[in-house]
Each structure stands twice: as structure tokens, then as C-alpha cells.
């Protein structure tokens, strides 16, 4: 995560990046992708594409890029990308 943070230029900013190698956090917040399609091709335990705004450890807003035809949210991730996240942050 440190390398990604450096690559994205967020070191020392208000943006925090966290890994979840065991999937514990993913399951705890209900973001594990459980759709049959991905599981049928061996994609098990993957996290849904989401963005979260938290202030002092309190979740203020969440956006999930998923649909019935795209459970991973990869085809239309716009609601989890930076412009949408900035708008979410402004609203909290």
C-alpha cells in the first residue's frame, strides 16, 4: 500500500489507503463479492469496488460500483472514482 500511496501522490495527505489481505474488513462491512458469475470462474473473496468517506473513524458516505450484470463494478466504476468521491466528501 505504501508503494501505491507514493505512486498516487497521497503520502502525507488526508487520504489513507489500507490493505485487507485476509478479507476480514471486506466481510465485516458486507463488501465481499458473492455473485455466482465471478465465483464460477474462481474469483472468490474479492472485494466489491467501493469508495468510502470516513471522518475520525465514522463512515459518512459509501458508494458501490456494482450492478446485476457487473457485480465487480469494473465496467462502470465512475461512482467510485475521484470526481465522485470529491462530491461525496463535500456533502458530509
Amino acid at each position: 500500500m505504501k508503494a501505491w500511496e507514493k505512486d498516487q501522490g497521497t503520502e502525507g495527505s488526508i487520504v489513507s489507503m489500507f490493505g485487507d489481505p485476509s478479507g476480514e474488513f471486506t466481510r465485516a462491512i458486507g463488501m465481499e463479492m458473492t455473485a455466482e458469475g465471478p465465483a464460477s470462474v474462481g474469483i472468490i473473496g474479492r472485494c466489491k469496488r467501493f469508495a468510502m468517506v470516513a471522518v475520525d473513524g465514522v463512515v459518512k458516505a459509501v458508494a458501490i460500483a456494482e450492478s446485476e450484470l457487473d457485480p465487480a463494478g469494473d465496467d462502470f466504476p465512475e461512482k467510485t472514482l475521484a470526481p465522485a468521491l470529491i462530491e461525496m466528501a463535500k456533502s458530509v
Side-chain angles (χ1 to χ4, degrees), residues 4-74:
W4 189 27
E5 183 178 60
K6 184 176 182 177
D7 178 69
Q8 296 302 302
T10 61
E11 288 179 299
S13 75
I14 63 169
V15 175
S16 298
M17 297 184 181
F18 300 94
D20 184 25
S22 70
E24 184 177 352
F25 180 74
T26 296
R27 287 187 298 280
I29 63 170
M31 290 294 173
E32 184 176 12
M33 188 172 48
T34 57
E36 289 181 21
S40 72
V41 294
I43 301 173
I44 299 168
R46 179 175 168 191
C47 185
K48 296 176 184 179
R49 179 183 296 273
F50 76 97
M52 178 184 291
V53 175
V55 179
D56 295 326
V58 177
V59 176
K60 300 291 187 175
V62 176
I64 307 168
E66 69 175 336
S67 70
E68 192 173 309
L69 298 176
D70 180 24
D74 292 336

